[in-house]
Amino acid sequence: MRKNTIMITGASGEIGHALISSLIEQGAPNILSLDVRPLEIGLNHKITHIQGDICDRSLLERLVSEYEIETIFHLAALLSTRAEFTPEAAHRVNVEGTMGLLQLASNQSEWRGRPVKFIFPSSVAVYGMPSLDVKAQFPKVREWEWNYPRTMYGSNKLYCEMLGIYYSEYYRQLAVERPVMLDFRSVRFPGLISAFTVPSGGTSDYGPEMIHAAAKSEEYACFVREDSQIPFMVMPDAITALLRLAAAPVEKLTRRVYNVTSYSLTAGDFRDLVLKSFAKAQISFHPDLKRNGIVDSWPADMNDNDARRDWGWKPSYDLERSFYEYLFPNIKNRYRI
Ligand code: AKB
């Protein structure tokens, strides 16, 4: 008998690590995780981890035959900076990988006669502010504004949002009978900061990198200007957003893609906060103009009213709590300071 299963792709990444820890804590049964990398020791004995590629269709078909997949958290992705260096590989993983999983979830929904829930982390990177003036004029963007991404990653995320909406609303629209559709739901995350993992391959990485470097007493040269501003959120809130959206009654949802955020700060603000906790930290600013251009094209903040209204989204960690209750204590603990 196939077991009802929660499937998590990109499980060895930052969000995957935190989501699995949270689901295990909540006693969620039957977690199936997938990643090209092995899973961290502390986690893998409590769940079934498959080391494999989401673009491997035969692997996906094998998993479908062995597991009754009820919910998919599709976290696997090449992030913005890395995707700029390998755009074809990014397209393969971010788009073809997602397409394969959407098709799998669509087939499963028909098989089961019930929608598979497909939870997809999108990103602030779907936005493209044409200039710093426009960025200043639109400090808190709505979901439908400035969807002109200027990175491969941002384009991938926006297209996959649309694919998810297509498979949930219009798939097989010419068929005589409407098939059972999958239930795609997505959040557009700001930059994420974890106390327990360090980012790799993103462009919002300067924030977490600065804190972890200070804790390790390493000098840090920030690759964006001091005034560069985008929204951020700590990992526990990101996990809350994914789980709360997944649990929301479908009839409450007025859209399938939602902004979520906690606060917005400049790279200079980051430096000031870090110096309050690590007085000897050596932080300098050596902007990489091209990477800074990507950050400048992202909005200073996002409007998440719809998420608050439709499924009760609310971050638990404001700026103060993020740094003084979550980041600094846990990072000091991590580096035994
Ligand atoms: C990145 O920097 O690529 C990601 C993101 C903002 O989605 N952290």
Side-chain angles (χ1 to χ4, degrees):
M1 201 32 217
R2 298 185 307 160
K3 291 179 286 187
N4 272 352
T5 300
I6 295 174
M7 181 178 183
I8 301 173
T9 72
S12 307
E14 284 205 280
I15 305 178
H17 180 279
L19 178 62
I20 291 172
S21 310
S22 178
L23 285 169
I24 289 174
E25 232 170 73
Q26 291 175 11
N30 312 325
I31 302 170
L32 171 68
S33 68
L34 181 62
D35 199 297
V36 283
R37 294 163 296 171
L39 200 64
E40 195 188 291
I41 302 300
L43 296 176
N44 67 5
H45 70 287
K46 294 184 182 144
I47 63 173
T48 308
H49 182 63
I50 308 281
Q51 215 174 320
D53 184 342
I54 56 166
C55 297
D56 178 347
R57 295 290 174 101
S58 59
L59 169 64
L60 296 183
E61 268 139 33
R62 179 169 68 79
L63 295 179
V64 162
S65 66
E66 289 173 21
Y67 299 89
E68 169 94 19
I69 296 172
E70 197 162 36
T71 303
I72 297 178
F73 289 92
H74 175 37
L75 313 177
L78 269 64
L79 300 184
S80 56
T81 288
R82 185 147 164 233
E84 287 309 301
F85 289 110
T86 57
E88 289 84 11
H91 186 273
R92 192 180 74 82
V93 173
N94 297 350
V95 173
E96 291 165 26
T98 302
M99 179 74 182
L101 278 161
L102 285 166
Q103 191 60 53
L104 170 148
S106 183
N107 298 346
Q108 276 284 289
S109 301
E110 286 220 73
W111 262 99
R112 307 169 74 235
R114 279 181 289 129
V116 168
K117 260 185 207 157
F118 194 106
I119 311 301
F120 181 69
S122 185
S123 166
V124 65
V126 302
Y127 296 104
M129 315 307 286
S131 67
L132 287 174
D133 290 348
V134 173
K135 182 166 174 166
Q137 282 167 38
F138 293 84
K140 225 171 163 53
V141 294
R142 301 301 308 261
E143 283 88 349
W144 55 86
E145 294 174 325
W146 304 107
N147 289 187
Y148 311 120
R150 57 178 273 175
T151 61
M152 171 54 84
Y153 169 75
S155 309
N156 296 163
K157 286 290 186 185
L158 187 61
Y159 177 49
C160 289
E161 289 177 5
M162 295 182 183
L163 282 177
I165 293 167
Y166 170 79
Y167 272 96
S168 302
E169 310 284 346
Y170 311 110
Y171 179 58
R172 292 228 182 113
Q173 58 197 302
L174 303 181
V176 177
E177 253 186 63
R178 181 182 159 85
V180 177
M181 304 296 231
L182 65 82
D183 178 358
F184 177 88
R185 304 174 184 199
S186 176
V187 282
R188 289 177 177 168
F189 280 134
L192 298 180
I193 321 169
S194 169
F196 302 104
T197 52
V198 282
S200 60
T203 317
S204 64
D205 296 2
Y206 59 87
E209 284 174 356
M210 200 187 281
I211 308 172
H212 285 270
K216 291 187 280 182
S217 308
E218 288 170 2
E219 282 188 30
Y220 185 70
C222 183
F223 60 78
V224 298
R225 296 181 318 277
E226 280 189 56
D227 68 319
S228 303
Q229 182 163 6
I230 55 172
F232 280 93
M233 172 193 284
V234 287
M235 196 57 79
D237 275 331
I239 302 309
T240 302
L242 290 174
L243 294 174
R244 199 165 283 171
L245 179 60
V250 69
E251 57 280 2
K252 289 265 182 185
L253 306 181
T254 60
R255 54 177 47 255
R256 289 191 176 275
V257 178
Y258 289 91
N259 287 341
V260 289
T261 190
S262 296
Y263 40 80
S264 170
L265 71 172
T266 67
D269 296 330
F270 257 109
R271 184 259 333 270
D272 298 344
L273 281 157
V274 169
L275 286 174
K276 283 199 186 126
S277 216
F278 303 96
K280 295 201 187 83
Q282 295 175 292
I283 300 165
S284 56
F285 291 90
H286 296 277
D288 168 332
L289 299 182
K290 295 198 172 94
R291 284 183 92 186
N292 211 150
I294 293 174
V295 171
D296 288 343
S297 76
W298 294 347
D301 207 349
M302 298 185 283
N303 179 313
D304 57 7
N305 288 354
D306 288 7
R308 289 169 184 263
R309 181 199 59 218
D310 291 359
W311 45 279
W313 158 248
K314 189 174 183 308
S316 309
Y317 293 85
D318 61 13
L319 191 62
E320 288 286 310
R321 287 199 66 208
S322 288
F323 282 81
Y324 296 107
E325 281 184 36
Y326 170 68
L327 288 168
F328 292 148
N330 287 308
I331 287 178
K332 285 183 175 171
N333 190 29
R334 174 188 165 100
Y335 297 111
R336 308 223 182 300
I337 303 171

